[in-house]
Amino acid sequence: MESNQQSNIEIPKELINWSKWMIGINFSAGTGCVVVLRDIKATAAPIMVFWLQTAITSFAFTILSAVVFNLILSLEVRSDFTLKRKHWILGGTQLLFFTCAFFALIAWIRG
């Protein structure tokens, strides 16, 4: 029984670590996009600026959803933890925004 309780405590801790990783990756990528946008905005085609701004916005929303996810998980770390629908939705939201940012970045690179 104690092993099951220990694994229930580990689930939110691992999800928190994953979200922290997502925050770091997205912050770095978003910052890089802002630097590039600042340097090319005057000379770039409008569609390129659009894709870069879309990537920056998506990276920012990924960070925001990861912070909310971390906050909720941190408040719920206990031995009787179970994944609920809200956890799946917030985790999926992070992945959705990250995927949007990734595809916008690819569109900008290919453009």
Side-chain angles (χ1 to χ4, degrees):
M1 184 63 122
E2 188 172 315
S3 174
N4 189 28
Q5 286 180 347
Q6 185 177 10
S7 68
N8 283 348
I9 291 174
E10 293 300 315
I11 292 170
K13 288 181 180 179
E14 291 300 320
L15 288 172
I16 288 169
N17 288 336
W18 174 72
S19 283
K20 287 179 185 177
W21 179 81
M22 287 290 283
I23 290 168
I25 293 296
N26 284 280
F27 183 78
S28 300
T31 302
C33 288
V34 168
V35 169
V36 169
L37 179 63
R38 184 192 65 200
D39 292 341
I40 69 163
K41 193 170 187 175
T43 60
I47 191 70
M48 295 296 102
V49 172
F50 167 77
W51 285 120
L52 206 48
Q53 287 175 338
T54 302
I56 293 166
T57 303
S58 296
F59 285 132
F61 281 130
T62 304
I63 292 169
L64 181 63
S65 63
V67 167
V68 170
F69 191 49
N70 272 341
L71 177 64
I72 288 173
L73 286 171
S74 297
L75 295 173
E76 296 179 353
V77 174
R78 58 184 181 273
S79 62
D80 62 341
F81 177 83
T82 56
L83 284 173
K84 297 178 181 90
R85 185 180 175 120
K86 65 182 174 185
H87 301 125
W88 287 99
I89 290 171
L90 283 169
T93 301
Q94 285 181 57
L95 289 175
L96 175 70
F97 283 129
F98 182 72
T99 303
C100 290
F102 177 74
F103 283 119
L105 196 57
I106 295 299
W108 169 73
I109 290 170
R110 292 190 73 197

